[in-house]
């Protein structure tokens, strides 16, 4: 994530800010410009964005609950690109759910910023009634017969379900430890589950199963049985030699989703490092291996270019954590088979983005004609 600047006082502004901490101007995010902007009120809920003064904006409707800081153009949709995909939201009459929703939506906005930067397809259920992308943000409940109903985080034909208890840090950490995971975050959940969605859209629906199977394995094996076997301790002891996580060993679909999520982790974290002027390439690599400090991770030519910048950064970050008595921030191993998988994800995303750009250009030409 890049750093932004308040156009009024030039102080640093962050992606989650709603006011500039220096001049106290209201700020918001212009989703199609990928820009945080200081705002001047026009009245009646309308704002002038200093980063785009030629248009009037209003806040996303969910700003009223303090869960969104994105802007939409006046006269357009009421909800921003991230919030418009919500199908079910937490019951705000229950204690703690507003805070949970606020945390969840912040993580989801990080996800959508990446999807929008790559111009990946994100139809909702209005645009695609059967397979459009929607989010159900639910919590465990009691059935009428008194039995408990556990909400499982997952994906099914465009519906991403998240158990909102994952927004409670203590509960999420307890689940991470009990399941033997090295990493578990709200953002990680979203990036993983969207990977399942894009397996459907960009692999299955585009006739790419054979090519994907050559990299990740045969996904036709029984999924339920594979997960049962995994959770019963049936994973390979040397999984780091070919997988990004232990969970990735459970089934090719999970391997794909874990690798997809990891690719986004790398790209977004590299952009953040660049925003803060962090570049450790010179300390670890020879001149012909270094990555240009000015390169845009979202437009990398290949996964290898990303990894050249990523590996020395993670070594440095892990060293900093250890010096503070903390576990490694990045406890992963990028083995050669994982590199092949990351390159596959890279090509899949870039090809989808190119197809979208071409389709949009053709659409403009048709309208002009």
């Amino acid at each position: 994530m890049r750093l932004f600047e308040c156009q009024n006082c030039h102080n640093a502004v962050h992606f989650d800010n709603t006011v500039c901490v220096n001049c106290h101007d209201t700020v918001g995010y212009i989703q199609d410009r990928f820009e945080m902007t200081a705002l001047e009120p026009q009245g009646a809920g309308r704002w002038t964005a200093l980063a785009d003064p030629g248009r009037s904006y209003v806040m996303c409707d969910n700003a009223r609950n303090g869960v969104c800081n994105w802007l939409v153009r006046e006269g357009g949709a009421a909800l921003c690109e991230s919030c418009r995909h919500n199908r079910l939201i937490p019951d705000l009459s229950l204690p703690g759910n507003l805070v949970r929703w606020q945390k969840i939506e912040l993580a989801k906005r990080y996800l959508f910023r990446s999807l929008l930067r790559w111009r990946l397809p994100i139809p909702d259920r209005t645009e695609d009634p059967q397979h459009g992308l929607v989010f159900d943000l639910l919590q465990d409940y009691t059935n009428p017969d008194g039995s408990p109903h556990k909400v499982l985080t997952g994906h099914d034909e465009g519906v991403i379900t998240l158990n909102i208890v994952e927004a409670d840090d203590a509960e999420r950490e307890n689940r991470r430890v009990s399941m033997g995971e090295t990493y578990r975050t709200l953002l990680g959940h979203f990036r993983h589950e969207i990977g399942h969605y894009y397996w459907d859209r960009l692999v299955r629906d585009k006739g790419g199963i054979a090519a994907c199977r050559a990299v990740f394995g045969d996904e036709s094996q029984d999924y339920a049985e594979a997960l049962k076997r995994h959770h019963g301790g049936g994973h390979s002891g040397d999984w780091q030699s070919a997988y990004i996580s232990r969970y990735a060993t459970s089934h090719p679909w999970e391997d794909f989703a874990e690798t997809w999520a990891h690719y986004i982790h790398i790209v977004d974290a590299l952009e953040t490092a660049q925003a803060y002027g962090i570049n450790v390439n010179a300390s670890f690599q020879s001149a012909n291996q270094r990555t240009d400090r000015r390169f845009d991770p979202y437009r990398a030519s290949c996964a290898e270019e990303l990894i050249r910048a990523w590996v020395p950064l993670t070594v440095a970050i892990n060293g900093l954590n250890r010096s503070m008595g903390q576990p490694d921030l990045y406890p992963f191993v990028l083995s050669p088979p994982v590199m092949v998988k990351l390159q596959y994800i890279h090509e899949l995303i870039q090809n989808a983005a190119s197809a979208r750009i071409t389709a949009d250009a053709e659409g403009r030409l048709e309208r002009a004609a």
Side-chain angles (χ1 to χ4, degrees):
M1 178 62 65
R2 43 171 294 222
L3 267 178
F4 303 93
E5 182 181 85
C6 173
Q7 292 81 12
N8 182 47
C9 70
H10 305 293
N11 193 60
V13 174
H14 300 274
F15 184 63
D16 58 340
N17 286 157
T18 55
V19 295
C20 171
V21 297
N22 184 55
C23 70
H24 306 295
D25 266 15
T26 299
V27 297
Y29 184 74
I30 305 177
Q31 56 197 19
D32 58 350
R33 295 176 63 94
F34 306 106
E35 185 69 66
M36 290 291 292
T37 181
L39 299 169
E40 292 182 348
Q42 297 180 10
R46 299 163 62 240
W47 300 87
T48 295
L50 297 189
D52 187 22
R55 294 188 176 94
S56 293
Y57 288 90
V58 296
M59 288 288 185
C60 170
D61 265 8
N62 280 340
R64 69 184 67 184
N65 289 305
V67 300
C68 189
N69 67 343
W70 282 22
L71 300 163
V72 294
R73 293 182 183 178
E74 183 186 16
L79 295 171
C80 71
E81 279 289 348
S82 176
C83 291
R84 76 181 179 93
H85 288 83
N86 288 340
R87 187 169 71 170
L88 297 173
I89 66 170
D91 182 352
L92 300 185
S93 68
L94 298 179
N97 274 3
L98 178 58
V99 173
R100 294 185 184 99
W101 191 28
Q102 290 168 342
K103 292 179 180 179
I104 288 167
E105 290 299 335
L106 175 59
K108 187 150 68 68
R109 290 198 301 278
Y110 269 87
L111 169 69
F112 270 86
R113 179 182 180 271
S114 295
L115 304 183
L116 291 167
R117 280 218 58 186
W118 278 311
R119 299 177 65 84
L120 292 174
I122 47 173
D124 60 19
R125 285 295 161 111
T126 301
E127 298 160 305
D128 183 349
Q130 289 188 311
H131 304 295
L133 177 64
V134 292
F135 293 82
D136 289 348
L137 310 176
L138 307 173
Q139 64 192 117
D140 297 340
Y141 59 88
T142 302
N143 292 313
D145 63 2
S147 61
H149 180 91
K150 299 293 185 182
V151 172
L152 298 179
T153 295
H155 167 265
D156 182 25
E157 290 293 345
V159 180
I160 291 178
T161 301
L162 178 75
N163 189 328
I164 65 171
V165 74
E166 293 284 347
D168 295 333
D169 296 340
E171 176 61 29
R172 188 176 64 254
E173 176 64 8
N174 180 61
R175 294 183 180 206
R176 185 192 69 80
V177 173
S178 67
M179 299 181 74
E181 298 173 344
T182 55
Y183 172 88
R184 190 182 183 96
T185 66
L186 284 171
L187 184 52
H189 280 310
F190 280 129
R191 287 172 172 169
H192 174 97
E193 299 305 338
I194 204 72
H196 287 300
Y197 172 75
Y198 283 116
W199 189 92
D200 288 354
R201 299 285 81 79
L202 304 181
V203 177
R204 184 193 66 189
D205 294 353
K206 298 295 184 181
I209 289 180
C212 186
R213 188 176 291 174
V215 177
F216 292 95
D218 185 2
E219 82 298 332
S220 67
Q221 61 179 282
D222 191 286
Y223 180 68
E225 282 300 316
L227 290 189
K228 181 179 178 181
R229 183 169 58 251
H230 170 78
H231 291 305
H235 53 77
S236 172
D238 64 345
W239 59 267
Q240 287 182 314
S241 65
Y243 298 89
I244 194 59
S245 70
R246 182 178 285 107
Y247 188 49
T249 69
S250 62
H251 189 277
W253 282 339
E254 298 303 340
D255 192 11
F256 178 94
E258 285 285 89
T259 308
W260 176 284
H262 209 85
Y263 181 85
I264 306 181
H265 291 335
I266 291 172
V267 171
D268 201 41
L270 280 175
E271 186 186 48
T272 303
Q274 287 202 343
Y276 284 91
I278 301 171
N279 188 305
V280 294
N281 285 347
S283 302
F284 292 90
Q285 298 177 327
S286 61
N288 65 348
Q289 292 177 312
R290 294 173 195 162
T291 302
D292 189 337
R293 291 182 63 178
R294 297 166 296 178
F295 96 107
D296 181 354
Y298 279 92
R299 297 182 179 180
S301 62
C302 60
E304 183 181 358
E305 183 181 16
L306 294 169
I307 302 308
R308 283 202 304 268
W310 181 240
V311 171
L313 177 64
T314 61
V315 171
I317 291 174
N318 285 347
L320 288 172
N321 265 34
R322 293 173 189 177
S323 70
M324 294 291 291
Q326 296 290 332
D328 286 353
L329 179 67
Y330 187 75
F332 301 97
V333 175
L334 297 178
S335 65
V338 170
M339 286 290 298
V340 171
K341 295 172 185 178
L342 288 169
Q343 178 61 24
Y344 174 92
I345 298 297
H346 172 84
E347 293 175 5
L348 195 68
I349 289 175
Q350 296 303 321
N351 290 340
S354 296
R356 179 77 177 275
I357 291 171
T358 299
D360 287 350
E362 291 175 349
R364 287 194 296 270
L365 289 174
E366 288 179 3
R367 290 192 293 273

